[in-house]
């Protein structure tokens, strides 16, 4: 249930965010693949947010929050908790403005994401890989630093910023029947709903989620938030639960949530690396995995898929682990 005093961002907020952040983000390209169109029976358009400078869409919401602070607020900097991409994007935006950034990250977060945070000047405090630990550790960090809390997704400034992605997407494709995006906490999905419900109300918003972290799917079916504390999936950017603001958008504007298994996510990731020739992280492959799994829902449609990020540890690609396990099994049998 939404608190009466909780501000929900508007389409006007999204337009103001786009004007505010344009000097600090990239208008990312849209890619297509004849092979993937033939494979799915749909006309697919991939919005490449992995081409943002910090490697993820979250720079949009982070930049909107950071550059929306007045000078007095900005002196103490910003702070957040994140599994990686929001942390790196907030650090990047803070670096661009010249203010401090403190982030709490799970100790299990990919090393590539930790390295990116530090490269942009963010200070990391590690926590255990659970929502409970993240929030408790963050409370200590914020009390010590006094930085403005920029929540990874349950923040009206962040949601408005994420909504700018779909504005560009619609402009770049001359309209879409559906837009599919990954869902974890729901920041990107909320921004997508915010924008499309006004700009292109005929476009359906579809959320895609890992089977092993399917709390949004179960929430959607139950009609209320169901939060898992510490799900485990290779899609490490989708480990957190919905919150009140994002649930508002999901419950009112999302048409459907589809899920994909770990192997289906890996297979889709490989397909896009091979046929789109772009680097994407597992979370970004979940939309294509769900399209492949549910062909009848997308066949004959113009479908936009948001590649949310490309920050991966190249030494720990999921199919390399599978190959090593297979080789070890063969060796054991020998």
């Amino acid at each position: 249930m939404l608190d009466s005093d909780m501000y929900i961002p508007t389409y006007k907020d999204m337009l103001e965010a786009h004007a505010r952040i344009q000097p600090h983000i990239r208008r990312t390209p849209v890619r297509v693949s004849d092979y993937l169109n033939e494979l799915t029976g749909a006309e697919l358009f991939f919005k490449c947010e992995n081409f943002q400078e910090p490697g993820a869409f979250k720079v949009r919401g982070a930049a909107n929050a950071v550059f929306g602070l007045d000078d007095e607020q900005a002196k103490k900097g910003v702070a957040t908790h994140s599994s990686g991409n929001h942390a790196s994007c907030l650090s990047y935006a803070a670096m661009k403005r010249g203010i401090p950034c403190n982030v709490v990250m799970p100790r299990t977060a990919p090393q590539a994401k930790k390295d990116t945070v530090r490269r942009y000047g963010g200070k990391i405090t590690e926590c255990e890989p659970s929502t409970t630990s993240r929030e408790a550790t963050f409370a200590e960090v914020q009390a010590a630093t006094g930085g403005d809390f920029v929540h990874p997704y349950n923040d009206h400034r962040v949601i408005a910023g994420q909504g700018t992605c779909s504005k560009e997407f619609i402009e770049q494709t001359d309209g879409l029947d559906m837009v599919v995006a990954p869902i974890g906490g729901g920041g990107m999905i909320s921004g997508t709903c915010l924008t499309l419900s006004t700009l292109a109300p005929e476009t359906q918003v579809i959320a895609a989620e890992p089977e092993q972290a399917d709390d949004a799917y179960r929430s959607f079916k139950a009609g209320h938030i169901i939060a898992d504390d510490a799900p485990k999936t290779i899609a490490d950017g989708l480990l957190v639960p919905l919150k009140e603001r994002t649930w508002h958008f999901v419950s009112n504007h999302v048409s459907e949530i589809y899920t994909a298994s770990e192997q289906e996510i890996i297979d889709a990731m490989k397909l896009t690396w091979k046929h789109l020739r772009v680097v994407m992280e597992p979370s970004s492959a979940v939309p294509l995995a769900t399209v492949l799994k549910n062909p009848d829902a997308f066949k004959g449609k113009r479908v936009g898929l948001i590649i949310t990020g490309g920050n991966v540890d190249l030494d720990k690609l999921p199919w390399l682990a599978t190959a090593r396990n297979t080789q070890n099994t063969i060796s054991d049998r020998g």
Side-chain angles (χ1 to χ4, degrees):
M1 185 174 179
L2 194 67
D3 292 340
S4 59
D5 61 347
M6 182 172 289
Y7 183 74
I8 298 298
T10 65
Y11 186 75
K12 181 174 179 287
D13 291 324
M14 184 279 297
L15 293 176
E16 291 174 351
H18 206 215
R20 181 179 295 119
I21 68 178
Q22 278 190 8
H24 312 293
I25 66 165
R26 295 174 180 171
R27 185 180 176 90
T28 54
V30 173
R31 294 286 179 86
V32 297
S33 164
D34 290 344
Y35 176 81
L36 293 176
N37 287 349
E38 293 170 6
L39 184 65
T40 61
E43 192 174 1
L44 304 182
F45 301 86
F46 294 84
K47 176 71 165 159
C48 297
E49 287 294 287
N50 53 321
F51 287 179
Q52 294 289 356
E53 172 57 30
F57 78 94
K58 294 194 176 209
V59 69
R60 295 175 180 271
N64 189 42
V66 166
F67 287 94
L69 294 173
D70 63 37
D71 290 342
E72 192 62 32
Q73 290 173 312
K75 287 179 181 179
K76 293 183 179 180
V78 288
T80 195
H81 55 79
S82 166
S83 60
N85 281 337
H86 178 65
S88 60
C89 289
L90 191 64
S91 298
Y92 173 78
M95 179 190 71
K96 294 274 282 187
R97 186 159 180 185
I99 62 176
C101 180
N102 283 275
V103 299
V104 171
M105 296 181 71
R107 59 175 176 76
T108 54
Q111 189 61 44
K113 294 185 178 181
K114 294 178 183 177
D115 291 344
T116 302
V117 170
R118 292 190 174 104
R119 187 168 75 249
Y120 295 136
K123 182 180 178 181
I124 297 173
T125 301
E126 294 193 354
C127 66
E128 291 304 305
S130 72
T131 300
T132 302
S133 178
R134 280 169 61 143
E135 294 180 348
T137 305
F138 174 76
E140 297 174 2
V141 170
Q142 190 186 28
T145 64
D148 186 85
F149 180 25
V150 183
H151 194 280
Y153 51 93
N154 194 42
D155 184 306
H156 67 89
R157 302 166 297 178
V158 168
I159 292 171
Q162 315 310 27
T164 64
C165 177
S166 289
K167 178 180 182 292
E168 294 177 5
F169 208 174
I170 292 296
E171 293 169 352
Q172 290 169 299
T173 55
D174 296 322
L176 297 164
D177 296 315
M178 300 173 172
V179 171
V180 190
I183 188 167
M188 172 53 80
I189 280 289
S190 295
T192 303
C193 291
L194 166 62
T195 297
L196 297 185
S197 61
T198 295
L199 181 63
E202 71 285 354
T203 302
Q204 289 183 289
V205 178
I206 309 294
E209 189 173 39
E211 284 181 0
Q212 292 186 191
D214 68 343
D215 51 292
Y217 171 82
R218 287 181 283 119
S219 300
F220 187 70
K221 298 302 180 184
H224 59 86
I225 296 176
I226 297 173
D228 289 340
D229 189 50
K232 294 181 180 179
T233 171
I234 57 168
D236 61 273
L238 307 178
L239 295 174
V240 290
L242 297 168
K243 295 289 187 180
E244 292 81 3
R245 281 191 182 88
T246 54
W247 173 243
H248 165 80
F249 287 101
V250 170
S251 60
N252 285 289
H253 298 290
V254 169
S255 297
E256 187 57 85
I257 298 180
Y258 294 113
T259 63
S261 69
E262 299 294 283
Q263 189 58 53
E264 288 163 344
I265 295 168
I266 293 170
D267 291 343
M269 186 177 171
K270 290 177 72 175
L271 278 173
T272 46
W273 278 49
K274 182 176 181 180
H275 296 286
L276 283 182
R277 300 169 184 85
V278 298
V279 173
M280 68 162 62
E281 58 193 74
S283 299
S284 301
V286 181
L288 179 60
T290 61
V291 171
L292 291 167
K293 189 175 184 177
N294 302 277
D296 292 344
F298 301 96
K299 188 175 182 180
K301 305 290 187 181
R302 289 170 56 84
V303 183
L305 297 93
I306 300 176
I307 300 177
T308 47
N311 293 314
V312 293
D313 187 338
L314 296 178
D315 294 322
K316 295 182 180 179
L317 296 174
W319 52 82
L320 295 181
T322 301
R324 282 194 294 269
N325 290 339
T326 300
Q327 186 60 46
N328 289 339
T329 301
I330 293 172
S331 298
D332 290 343
R333 288 174 181 171

